[in-house]
Amino acid sequence: MSEDKPVALRLEIVARWGKARATLLHLPHAICETPMFMPVGTQGTIKGLTSEQVEDVHCNLILGNTYHLGHRPGPEVMKELGGLHQLMNWKRNLLTDSGGFQMVSLLQLANITEQGVVFRSPHDGSEMVLTPEMSMQIQNCIGADIMMALDDVVSTVTTGPRVEEAMHRTLRWIDRCVEAHKRPHEQNLFGIVQGGLDMDLRSQCLKGLVERDLPGYAIGGLSGGESKHHFWRVVDKCAAELPENKPRYLMGVGYSLDLLVCSCLGVDMFDCVYPSRTARFGVALVKTGTLILKHREFSKDFRPLDDECQCMACRNYTRAYLHSLVVQKEQLAGQLLTAHNLTYQMDLMRGIRNSIIEGNLDRFAQKFIDLQFPNGDCPSWARDALKSAGIDIQ
Amino acid sequence: MPMRKVEWTPSVTEGEARTGCLSIVRVDEQGNHIDRIKKIDTPCFFLGSRAGAPPNFTVDIWNEFKKKCNAVQIEAETISQFGRGIHDFIAVGEKQNNFRPRGKPEATGEERLTETAIYLSFRDPLNYNSICNVDGLAVSNDAFSFVVRQRGKMKLTTHQGVKLLKDLDGDLIESISMDVPYHVTSKKMRRSVDVSIHILDKILESNTGNVLGVIQGGSDERSRTVSAKETAKRNVCGFVLGSFGLGEDLSQQSQMIRWILPHIPAEKVRFIPGIGTPLQILEAVSLGCDVFNSDYPHLIGEYGQAIIFSTDASVDRPYKINLRDRKFQLDQEPILKGCTCYGCQNHTRAYVCHLLATHEMLANVLLSVHNCWHYLEFFREMRESIGRGGFNRFKETFLERYYSKAEE
């Protein structure tokens, strides 16, 4: 590794179990324990929670969204206010995406050219371009501890030359990103491995990114409707080929089974809106799966969501109370369930981490599967993936 | 089994305005005093709740409020079946060990006195347009119906209503009564009095100590007088001035209060739910009302506004600010400098402005917290002014500053 490359992070591997690893990721605002889940605070807030409550779920890194924050309050205001940490009074780490994904997912008129992502402004209909340079400029204003390179995202169900084109473009854009990034001593720029479901393209992209010696790498373009059998094989391959001494981030993954499997395959970081979004729909995540609190069966259920959970909702309220909030469509229901679901995710990740350190990840995985799939109906892809990670599910 | 009893002790009076202390005490079956469990200084404001908590308040935020305010509504049936009373169910007050918030030891001694007291009302404390509907009642046949649930009316017999109040086990119980809007026929006003007294008697048969009688009668002087006199004859721990905030203007409000107060004993607490602007409150306090409840501070927040008025004559501050205004997007000051609420201690106007622009839930949380906090501060300052004999000046200063021009 060249010593002169500016980085703002350090990765310390604490323990390994098979392909999985437990690390300490030293970032500018806090040390993170991995494998970790990172809640999504799209517009500078985790929906409904105060910063203090997010700290209470023992969360050291949350996501902000460049597309949304670039629109409101906008880079100028953000810069003037001293960045997103300042604006939202968040003392721990932040990560921002490139803004490209929303252009593709939210906007029908997005078109990708060599220059950047061309899209029609949803506000005034004018044509705008998000270039790698602009993405960097906005992310530099936001000031997150980790920022993501602008990549050319194609849907995983796309096949043919478009996938290859996207992969090559992603590599060309990474150089423009590195060039445009003004704060490499404070902010870590991660590259994103693309290449769809094609293992050769993934390999090529990965090699190209690794040659650029970036502070960390993400596996992108997944969880877009592809089959889970393809999904885990791509994750497995990328995790195996990414350098040991750099953090590995799997983008957009947040179902608990996926978190377990991909941690076993050697991924360090995950993000997803699932736990907080599902909370707002009145769904609680528990060890045995989910509780849909609007169901009448909970109206007279006076137990907490989870006996062992230490979150604000479980310590203070019954399922019956939460049921009454959910059916009356109280905002408070979303607040309490978000706090619970995030605590659940954090506890799950801590459990995975501890079992890596204690050397019993296989037993942890077995127990997790037994609780989530009591009828032995664990999906075959998960069995295959865990088997490749050295864990035989009974 | 110990029962709750409500006492009110006056301390200072200035004209008709008065301060005092509302205590919830426990007594044994013979009526002997066991201990005092809650203490609330008056004049005060009871925060309204929806579904068991003030809107947007999680338990940690609620804990912050305990020293300032005490009081909270929920679907009654469920709590009945819960079997441990409303305090436990909504995690306020005398909680079981396993439901204590993290790191918070069991409250003891003086600290317990600041635990939240729960006031049970049949009128939605945050939506005064939906009034307790006792229409369709035939006093003789003992059945009545009213709005309790967001999903519609629920029919209850008096017997069921009485049992419900017992199961809920609140600290203060408002007798079930019939609210009427300001402009209704005087026949309806008279009926509201008869119905309310009838139900009060039923409730008092089985429940004692902590029942407040509701004075009805709408805008009819005779009905109000009758209602006040009849209610005063009964063994109630305090009085609720019913059907306020239902279309009357300020002078009509004062008029109705003046009709009632001479007929009820001064040594009992007077609760007037439904009126909420500082102007209405100052007026009602000056006439001798003690306890208030309205949706005002929450409502202001829903418009994206923060109240920042000052009661100190030497401080020049507007009544409120509209945080949706883009002029605040770079404002790094808290909503109100010096305010000790969670929002002001942790966040800036710029952040709230951003949260409002992006329609984020946290905007409602921070605004509710600030507005309720500031409002409760206003009550504290008002109590202090009565305490030192300066209420009249306090009131004049406030009216001069904020109501002389057409400002709100």
Side-chain angles (χ1 to χ4, degrees):
Chain A
M1 290 306 109
S2 55
E3 286 295 314
D4 48 20
K5 267 214 183 290
V7 284
L9 68 77
R10 186 162 64 82
L11 186 78
E12 194 183 321
I13 297 173
V14 180
R16 285 176 219 273
W17 195 101
K19 297 177 178 182
R21 54 208 217 147
T23 80
L24 287 175
L25 176 59
H26 298 254
L27 285 166
H29 286 84
I31 301 169
C32 300
E33 299 185 336
T34 78
M36 69 166 159
F37 179 78
M38 307 178 290
V40 184
T42 309
Q43 320 208 72
T45 156
I46 307 260
K47 305 243 179 246
L49 298 189
T50 64
S51 303
E52 222 167 59
Q53 288 166 347
V54 181
E55 284 178 18
D56 281 351
V57 302
H58 303 292
C59 173
N60 279 346
L61 203 172
I62 58 175
L63 265 70
N65 186 292
T66 298
Y67 171 76
H68 290 289
L69 293 166
H71 171 48
R72 281 180 311 209
E76 293 78 23
V77 171
M78 190 65 89
K79 196 170 181 182
E80 183 91 23
L81 292 170
L84 185 56
H85 286 93
Q86 278 289 97
L87 174 63
M88 63 183 288
N89 190 25
W90 173 248
K91 300 187 175 59
R92 301 184 189 176
N93 299 300
L94 285 169
L95 182 153
T96 43
D97 67 345
S98 64
F101 182 71
Q102 269 67 33
M103 311 249 163
V104 180
S105 71
L106 289 179
L107 310 171
Q108 294 169 334
L109 291 166
N111 182 23
I112 295 165
T113 67
E114 193 54 32
Q115 191 197 358
V117 185
V118 184
F119 63 102
R120 215 168 274 289
S121 161
H123 309 287
D124 57 8
S126 61
E127 194 164 273
M128 298 171 76
V129 190
L130 180 78
T131 61
E133 291 76 14
M134 269 171 63
S135 174
M136 292 300 107
Q137 188 225 330
I138 303 172
Q139 292 192 69
N140 281 157
C141 291
I142 297 173
D145 303 87
I146 297 175
M147 44 198 261
M148 304 305 296
L150 184 67
D151 54 350
D152 184 354
V153 192
V154 287
S155 155
T156 40
V157 287
T158 309
T159 48
R162 174 70 186 96
V163 183
E164 185 165 0
E165 181 198 41
M167 186 278 288
H168 287 300
R169 185 170 287 141
T170 297
L171 285 175
R172 288 192 295 275
W173 282 2
I174 188 72
D175 292 324
R176 287 168 61 188
C177 286
V178 172
E179 181 74 20
H181 179 21
K182 294 284 185 293
R183 303 169 66 186
H185 293 280
E186 302 144 280
Q187 294 182 273
N188 299 289
L189 174 63
F190 280 30
I192 305 172
V193 180
Q194 290 292 353
L197 302 176
D198 185 316
M199 295 298 184
D200 289 334
L201 293 180
R202 285 275 173 184
S203 265
Q204 267 186 61
C205 187
L206 193 148
K207 281 201 188 74
L209 290 172
V210 173
E211 276 166 24
R212 277 129 176 124
D213 190 22
L214 299 163
Y217 303 94
I219 305 166
L222 289 176
S223 48
E226 72 283 357
S227 116
K228 284 284 186 185
H229 292 278
H230 290 124
F231 162 80
W232 80 261
R233 287 188 171 85
V234 173
V235 174
D236 189 31
K237 182 172 177 71
C238 294
E241 292 181 12
L242 283 167
E244 272 290 310
N245 59 343
K246 298 287 171 74
R248 304 159 183 170
Y249 163 28
L250 177 56
M251 301 175 84
V253 167
Y255 292 128
S256 52
L257 179 61
D258 301 6
L259 293 173
L260 175 83
V261 169
C262 298
S263 296
C264 291
L265 295 172
V267 175
D268 306 314
M269 303 157 67
F270 304 87
D271 83 285
C272 193
V273 294
Y274 172 68
S276 40
R277 179 169 293 167
T278 203
R280 295 197 301 282
F281 296 141
V283 178
L285 305 178
V286 292
K287 290 192 193 74
T288 50
T290 54
L291 303 177
I292 299 163
L293 284 157
K294 71 163 187 273
H295 288 173
R296 283 195 74 86
E297 59 178 293
F298 296 113
S299 69
K300 304 289 185 291
D301 187 340
F302 299 120
R303 291 172 295 170
L305 292 174
D306 180 324
D307 291 323
E308 290 162 23
C309 179
Q310 296 293 302
C311 82
M312 167 166 80
C314 290
R315 297 280 299 210
N316 292 287
Y317 301 107
T318 61
R319 294 173 182 189
Y321 178 66
L322 294 166
H323 165 83
S324 84
L325 290 182
V326 169
V327 296
Q328 296 184 51
K329 299 193 168 56
E330 280 297 319
Q331 177 177 314
L332 187 60
Q335 291 167 237
L336 291 172
L337 290 175
T338 301
H340 169 77
N341 286 355
L342 293 181
T343 305
Y344 168 83
Q345 300 283 90
M346 296 297 153
D347 286 350
L348 171 66
M349 299 317 285
R350 196 175 309 112
I352 294 171
R353 178 184 159 84
N354 289 343
S355 64
I356 295 170
I357 295 171
E358 289 157 15
N360 51 18
L361 182 60
D362 50 347
R363 260 177 290 155
F364 183 91
Q366 180 70 52
K367 201 176 151 208
F368 174 89
I369 298 287
D370 289 345
L371 281 166
Q372 294 264 329
F373 306 98
N375 306 322
D377 49 356
C378 170
S380 62
W381 72 267
R383 283 177 193 276
D384 297 346
L386 288 169
K387 196 172 176 97
S388 112
I391 298 168
D392 277 313
I393 294 301
Q394 301 302 308
Chain B
M1 199 185 119
M3 291 177 300
R4 288 192 181 79
K5 190 162 180 272
V6 174
E7 289 169 355
W8 183 79
T9 30
S11 52
V12 182
T13 53
E14 181 189 338
E16 296 298 321
R18 57 197 213 161
T19 61
C21 179
L22 189 62
S23 302
I24 318 286
V25 298
R26 290 193 298 182
V27 294
D28 62 20
E29 271 152 48
Q30 285 73 44
N32 299 315
H33 190 282
I34 303 172
D35 57 358
R36 178 158 83 158
I37 53 173
K38 274 149 207 174
K39 175 176 155 273
I40 304 158
D41 293 324
T42 67
C44 70
F45 183 76
F46 283 1
L47 279 182
S49 69
R50 204 162 52 201
N56 315 322
F57 280 28
T58 47
V59 67
D60 52 338
I61 292 174
W62 185 234
N63 277 333
E64 293 278 312
F65 269 83
K66 281 199 179 152
K67 294 215 168 55
K68 288 202 159 285
C69 152
N70 330 55
V72 236
Q73 185 186 3
I74 198 161
E75 187 141 342
E77 262 181 310
T78 309
I79 306 163
S80 261
Q81 301 205 8
F82 180 50
R84 294 209 304 267
I86 192 168
H87 293 83
D88 252 18
F89 192 69
I90 68 176
V92 163
E94 303 145 12
K95 275 161 278 177
Q96 301 287 315
N97 272 327
N98 53 334
F99 288 140
R100 305 285 310 169
R102 178 178 6 196
K104 195 171 181 300
E106 194 66 48
T108 51
E110 276 297 301
E111 194 199 340
R112 272 190 57 198
L113 298 178
T114 65
E115 293 280 7
T116 306
I118 295 174
Y119 177 87
L120 301 176
S121 94
F122 280 86
R123 188 173 165 191
D124 187 339
L126 292 166
N127 182 4
Y128 277 96
N129 295 321
S130 95
I131 58 173
C132 183
N133 180 359
V134 202
D135 271 357
L137 166 80
V139 174
S140 53
N141 75 5
D142 205 34
F144 54 91
S145 66
F146 50 85
V147 180
V148 209
R149 319 210 277 188
Q150 307 222 334
R151 273 169 292 168
K153 282 183 191 175
M154 180 167 112
K155 219 172 176 106
L156 279 187
T157 61
T158 311
H159 174 74
Q160 286 169 329
V162 169
K163 181 176 182 309
L164 203 61
L165 290 173
K166 236 187 159 65
D167 288 340
L168 290 173
D169 196 24
D171 295 301
L172 297 111
I173 296 170
E174 177 182 310
S175 169
I176 305 163
S177 71
M178 179 177 171
D179 280 316
V180 288
Y182 189 76
H183 301 285
V184 290
T185 59
S186 51
K187 188 179 165 202
K188 202 159 183 182
M189 291 177 193
R190 284 197 301 276
R191 229 168 83 73
S192 77
V193 176
D194 296 343
V195 169
S196 303
I197 290 289
H198 170 76
I199 305 172
L200 175 62
D201 283 339
K202 294 284 177 195
I203 290 172
L204 286 173
E205 274 171 24
S206 72
N207 218 322
T208 52
N210 58 348
V211 178
L212 286 89
V214 188
I215 296 160
Q216 294 291 0
S219 51
D220 179 46
E221 183 175 2
R222 225 187 76 81
S223 298
R224 283 285 186 185
T225 313
V226 171
S227 184
K229 284 181 175 165
E230 285 300 317
T231 310
K233 282 184 200 160
R234 280 139 175 101
N235 180 25
V236 292
C237 70
F239 300 91
V240 176
L241 280 61
S243 301
F244 277 83
L246 293 173
E248 76 278 11
D249 66 22
L250 188 65
S251 64
Q252 292 164 334
Q253 172 198 310
S254 304
Q255 183 62 260
M256 290 198 287
I257 297 173
R258 284 200 185 92
W259 287 336
I260 299 166
L261 295 187
H263 306 292
I264 59 176
E267 68 277 8
K268 288 184 179 171
V269 70
R270 300 155 178 176
F271 183 12
I272 177 163
I275 59 172
T277 65
L279 175 64
Q280 294 171 326
I281 284 166
L282 287 166
E283 198 58 38
V285 165
S286 74
L287 295 171
C289 295
D290 306 307
V291 184
F292 299 83
N293 158 240
S294 89
D295 54 358
Y296 182 75
H298 285 289
L299 210 57
I300 290 270
E302 277 169 32
Y303 300 143
Q305 297 173 340
I307 43 176
I308 59 166
F309 57 74
S310 161
T311 58
D312 178 348
S314 64
V315 183
D316 187 32
R317 269 205 311 261
Y319 183 82
K320 61 187 178 189
I321 50 173
N322 177 7
L323 286 163
R324 286 191 201 281
D325 193 326
R326 287 171 67 86
K327 75 179 180 198
F328 294 115
Q329 67 173 355
L330 288 172
D331 193 332
Q332 306 245 41
E333 294 286 328
I335 295 171
L336 173 58
K337 214 172 174 173
C339 172
T340 52
C341 84
Y342 175 85
C344 291
Q345 291 290 303
N346 291 281
H347 297 292
T348 58
R349 291 173 170 185
Y351 188 48
V352 179
C353 180
H354 166 70
L355 294 173
L356 285 167
T358 51
H359 309 284
E360 282 286 349
M361 285 154 76
L362 190 58
N364 305 340
V365 176
L366 297 176
L367 284 171
S368 282
V369 167
H370 171 78
N371 287 339
C372 289
W373 193 266
H374 191 68
Y375 208 60
L376 295 169
E377 276 294 299
F378 168 68
F379 275 85
R380 188 184 55 74
E381 288 162 354
M382 189 157 55
R383 286 195 296 272
E384 281 173 10
S385 77
I386 300 172
R388 57 167 192 271
F391 176 72
N392 259 326
R393 244 193 93 193
F394 178 90
K395 183 182 163 199
E396 291 313 318
T397 308
F398 197 87
L399 297 190
E400 173 90 1
R401 164 91 52 85
Y402 297 112
Y403 292 95
S404 56
K405 290 167 286 242
E407 196 172 358
E408 219 273 327

